[in-house]
Amino acid sequence: MSFLLPALPYSYGALAGRGMCQETLELHHGKHHQAYVSALNALVEKNEALQGKALEQLITLSHGRPDLAPVFNNAGQHWNHSFFWQSLAAEQGGIVPAALARKLDADFGGVDEFKAQFKAAALGQFGSGWAWLILAKNGRLEVTKTPNAGTPLATGEGRPLLVLDVWEHAYYVDFRNRRPDFTDNFLNRLANYEFAAANLQSA
Ligand code: MN3
């Protein structure tokens, strides 16, 4: 059994009016994400010990193993991108549900303070990577960042609630080199805080 590229939960053009054009999604989902899935399938096919494992298992077993770095990179990228598509709202983005807003108030001192920390993480990630809102093991919401294909699933630092891809391929078509504008646009117009709230609810 091989891994499949998940369909986007919206059309390629659905986010065009909110800072993520059709070309970005066609390239990012149809080319970049597909390439990670195809590479992962090829690696698993060549290594019997990896066969029949769930994606999350492949991530945890390959984490920190230099001999399995390509497996970690492609499995992590597949998981992170699948989670990222859901972190973008199909219609109205950037609206924080009341229950999540209360938790953000409690743990960050307010929604704006959360956004400031998230933006600092997104900009502070040198080179490629990801910015995350997670539910940490101590029960508090935290912002974190991971390089390249890194994911909180591997580090065990908490449960992912929302993610932003800060690889250049995520924003270069729409924002050129302006990662700060891309991040603001995500936080205020694209982020699916309903998805984050549902993840928090089920945690
Ligand atoms: Mn990407």
Side-chain angles (χ1 to χ4, degrees):
M1 205 195 78
S2 54
F3 294 102
L4 294 173
L5 181 69
L8 286 180
Y10 32 75
S11 72
Y12 279 130
L15 314 180
R18 286 183 287 127
M20 192 171 285
C21 70
Q22 180 157 343
E23 184 187 3
T24 290
L25 278 174
E26 285 175 353
L27 288 168
H28 198 174
H29 176 263
K31 302 291 183 190
H32 287 276
H33 190 173
Q34 178 65 66
Y36 298 124
V37 172
S38 299
L40 178 62
N41 285 331
L43 289 162
V44 169
E45 198 173 326
K46 283 192 301 197
N47 186 338
E48 214 167 302
L50 303 177
Q51 289 164 14
K53 302 260 191 262
L55 183 59
E56 291 80 0
Q57 288 178 293
L58 291 178
I59 290 170
T60 49
L61 78 82
S62 62
H63 181 56
R65 289 265 307 267
D67 57 322
L68 293 178
V71 174
F72 180 80
N73 288 337
N74 287 289
Q77 286 295 76
H78 178 29
W79 195 94
N80 289 356
H81 281 90
S82 301
F83 198 75
F84 176 54
W85 307 132
Q86 298 180 77
S87 295
L88 304 175
E91 287 171 3
Q92 288 181 305
I95 298 167
V96 182
L100 179 61
R102 281 194 297 276
K103 183 76 173 143
L104 292 170
D105 281 344
D107 294 347
F108 292 97
V111 173
D112 288 347
E113 285 75 8
F114 150 69
K115 288 180 178 178
Q117 283 194 32
F118 192 97
K119 186 174 178 181
L123 303 190
Q125 175 53 46
F126 182 78
S128 298
W130 302 82
W132 303 84
L133 174 65
I134 64 169
L135 179 63
K137 284 190 167 160
N138 61 13
R140 293 172 65 88
L141 299 184
E142 290 180 5
V143 161
T144 188
K145 58 184 166 37
T146 57
N148 301 316
T151 170
L153 265 64
T155 61
E157 59 185 314
R159 182 168 170 143
L161 303 180
L162 192 77
V163 74
L164 178 63
D165 186 340
V166 298
W167 285 57
E168 281 186 350
H169 66 230
Y171 58 87
Y172 228 80
V173 174
D174 297 291
F175 292 93
R176 295 301 172 191
N177 60 332
R178 292 177 284 119
R179 193 188 289 187
D181 293 349
F182 168 68
T183 303
D184 283 337
N185 185 71
F186 169 74
L187 289 168
N188 296 318
R189 300 209 302 161
L190 271 179
N192 188 345
Y193 293 111
E194 298 281 354
F195 175 64
N199 290 328
L200 177 61
Q201 183 82 42
S202 67

